[in-house]
Each structure stands twice: as C-alpha cells, then as structure tokens.
Amino acid sequence: MIVSIDGPVGVGKTSVAKAVAQHLGLLHIDTGSMYRALAWKCLEQDLDPDDPQAMATLAEETEVLLQNSPEGPKVLCDDHDVTDEIRSPEVTSVVSQVSAHEGLRHHVVEQQRKLGDQGSVIMEGRDIGSVVFPSADVKIYLDGSLEARTNRRLKELESKGVPCSFEEIRQTVEDRDREDMNRRVSPLTIPEGAQVIDTSHLTFSQVVDRIVETVRAAIRTKRFAKTHH
Ligand code: DC
C-alpha cells in the first residue's frame, strides 16, 4: 500500500502524514527532509546551489538516511545527525534552489522508490503522486489558503521561540511556493487522480480522519479485488 501526500509549503503535510501513519501502521517518509539534508551539505561545502553538475554530484556522493529513534525520526547525512539543522532558516532559504535540478532529483527519486518497495508507506512531498509513485494506491493533495498556511508557520516558529512577523513569513511561503510550482523538473502540481483536501477551514483531526477513511476504503477495495480474482 502506497499513500502519497503532496502540497504546498506550510499546509501541514508532515504532521498529518505522521498521524495517519500512526493510525494505520504505515511507514512515514518525509521526502522534503532528504532535499533539506542535501541543501545542508551544499551550504557546509560552500557549493553553488545553481550549478546543476555540482548538485547532481552532491546527490550521488551523499548518503541520506531516515531513521526511527525513541525521540522521533532522525535524518542522517553521511552519518551526521542533521535532524535539527535542516530546519534552519539558512537551509530553508536554499532548499528550493537545490531541489530544482534534474540530475540531483534523479538520485533522490531513485532512493525514494527503493524506500517505497519496503511495503506499506505514506510518503509526503511535492512530486510523490505525480512522479515518484504515479500509481500510488491513494493520492492526496493537501491545499490551503496562503493566509492559513502563513498562520500555521507563524505558530510553529513562535512555539520554538523564533521571533518573526506575519508579513515576513507570508513572503517566504509565497516565494518558496512560486519556486516549487514553476521549476522545469517535477513542479508541484495536483497529481492525476488525487483527492484534493482544502485544509483552510478544517481542524487537524478532520484532515487526518478524512485521509484515514480514504485509505481504509482503498484497503477494502484492494482486498475485495484480490479475493475475487
Ligand atoms: O516539505 P519541505 O518544506 O520540508 O520541503 C523542502 C523543499 O524540498 C521544498 O521547498 C521543495 C523540495 N521538495 C521537492 O522538491 N520534492 C519533494 N518531494 C519534497 C520536497
């Protein structure tokens, strides 16, 4: 069973996917963290994020691992624990540039497909239902107004004690969306056959419940198809 969740910045993909994974016993894979780990290393090594060849080599030579630990999921980049560092404003501001290159994406997508082969997974990102797993069993596209998504990010940052303004965040969210939606390779788009959920006026648990229901229905249909063939 493969469930894909795609959608723009700040729509709540990660927390929703995590909760759905817990409800249904699926393995949760946050693909954004893989691109973030490469963006982190790009900064560490002072590479040019606009150089396609340098970015392809970076992906080829870097091992990014997603691990589960008692404290939560960890992201390892060549054995460094980068779980917290990949959420820094510096990494966030360069990740859309780094992830725009075809050569780099080729390596990352290959790894994601291998992770999907492990069995029952819920994978979230920007191109999961459109490119990585176009034949996913369930495809979800989470959407939300710019205002609602900015408010989510604002609350998240405030809870971490990071000072910021609504206007500043609205601008970064808008800029990152523009880059992710307009890049030449695998832009963020609504995948064919995806169920679109507008989260602007829904609570967190309403979104989670809807997806859990859709996945349960897909599991029943799959079982039915198996026993009748
Ligand atoms: O979901 P996130 O904010 O952690 O993702 C970080 C960036 O990675 C995002 O701006 C675009 C890129 N990304 C991507 O291009 N494809 C994916 N499947 C996931 C993320």
Side-chain angles (χ1 to χ4, degrees):
M1 166 68 53
I2 293 186
V3 180
S4 68
I5 302 192
D6 293 294
V9 171
V11 77
K13 292 186 297 293
T14 302
S15 32
V16 165
K18 195 169 148 195
V20 173
Q22 275 169 357
H23 267 79
L24 297 167
L26 304 170
L27 178 68
H28 169 213
I29 299 166
D30 166 10
T31 62
S33 68
M34 300 166 86
Y35 291 102
R36 282 174 180 271
L38 293 175
W40 172 83
K41 191 168 163 188
C42 167
L43 293 175
E44 279 289 301
Q45 300 202 331
D46 210 10
L47 302 174
D48 177 3
D50 289 324
D51 179 343
Q53 188 52 52
M55 291 302 103
T57 309
L58 170 71
E60 194 179 352
E61 293 178 348
T62 307
E63 186 177 46
V64 178
L65 291 176
L66 307 181
Q67 270 185 357
N68 278 320
S69 77
E71 307 95 67
K74 280 199 184 311
V75 183
L76 303 180
C77 183
D78 296 334
D79 293 333
H80 297 282
D81 182 347
V82 293
T83 314
D84 295 327
E85 282 158 279
I86 60 169
R87 306 285 157 197
S88 72
E90 291 77 19
V91 169
T92 301
S93 67
V94 83
V95 66
S96 287
Q97 257 165 294
V98 170
S99 62
H101 302 286
E102 192 163 17
L104 174 140
R105 298 192 73 87
H106 172 78
H107 292 287
V108 180
V109 167
E110 201 168 78
Q111 202 188 344
Q112 289 163 357
R113 291 194 177 131
K114 278 192 195 136
L115 291 171
D117 285 343
Q118 292 179 5
S120 295
V121 302
I122 179 162
M123 197 176 276
E124 43 130 337
R126 302 290 191 289
D127 62 339
I128 309 306
S130 57
V131 173
V132 184
F133 290 110
S135 54
D137 300 277
V138 173
K139 297 189 199 182
I140 304 289
Y141 186 89
L142 288 187
D143 213 346
S145 67
L146 181 59
E147 197 194 353
R149 294 184 292 117
T150 303
N151 276 322
R152 265 199 90 247
R153 266 292 135 94
L154 192 63
K155 271 196 203 146
E156 229 170 69
L157 291 171
E158 277 173 358
S159 72
K160 287 183 190 160
V162 183
C164 45
S165 76
F166 180 91
E167 196 39 51
E168 200 183 321
I169 298 178
R170 192 189 61 77
Q171 197 57 55
T172 358
V173 170
E174 205 175 12
D175 290 348
R176 283 183 59 207
D177 277 349
R178 192 179 319 109
E179 283 195 54
D180 295 343
M181 287 172 176
N182 292 308
R183 67 176 174 227
R184 196 176 50 78
V185 200
S186 313
L188 170 65
T189 161
I190 301 178
E192 214 182 303
Q195 178 186 347
V196 180
I197 302 177
D198 185 345
T199 63
S200 312
H201 305 290
L202 296 176
T203 63
F204 175 74
S205 39
Q206 281 172 327
V207 177
V208 172
D209 289 350
R210 254 190 219 194
I211 301 176
V212 167
E213 258 328 295
T214 308
V215 177
R216 287 205 171 117
I219 294 172
R220 284 195 294 272
T221 313
K222 231 180 149 148
R223 284 210 189 109
F224 181 81
K226 260 193 196 150
T227 51
H228 288 77
H229 278 105

